[in-house]
């Protein structure tokens, strides 16, 4: 007698159960009636701030100075 059918049945029933649970959880989460929320003004100011200037050095060349850009 082979165990293959029992293992295949166990796997398919487990996959089916996981799929049903995942669907049920996603469906219940979709039912929450959340409104769009704005972050505090301090966070908006940080995100909307202009970036600070960046600094780059030129590649080093033999016997030459490097430039700061």
């Amino acid at each position: 007698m082979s165990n293959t059918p029992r293992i295949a049945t166990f796997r398919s029933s487990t996959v089916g159960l996981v799929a049903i649970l995942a669907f049920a959880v996603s469906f219940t989460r979709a039912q929450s009636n959340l409104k769009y929320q704005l972050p505090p003004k301090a966070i908006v100011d940080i995100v909307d701030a202009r970036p600070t200037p960046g600094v780059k050095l030129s590649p080093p060349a033999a016997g030459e100075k490097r430039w700061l850009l």
Side-chain angles (χ1 to χ4, degrees):
M1 183 173 198
S2 174
N3 288 337
T4 305
R6 289 175 64 190
I7 292 172
T9 303
F10 175 73
R11 285 184 184 164
S12 64
S13 63
T14 304
V15 170
L17 180 62
V18 169
I20 290 171
L21 288 175
F23 177 75
V25 168
S26 67
F27 185 70
T28 56
R29 287 184 167 228
Q31 296 301 316
S32 57
N33 190 11
L34 294 177
K35 294 183 179 180
Y36 182 76
Q37 299 175 353
L38 291 174
K41 185 176 180 334
I43 304 250
V44 172
D45 291 343
I46 291 172
V47 172
D48 289 343
R50 293 183 60 131
T52 56
V55 176
K56 293 188 178 185
L57 286 172
S58 63
E64 293 185 16
K65 296 182 179 179
R66 295 178 77 179
W67 291 90
L68 183 69
L69 303 173

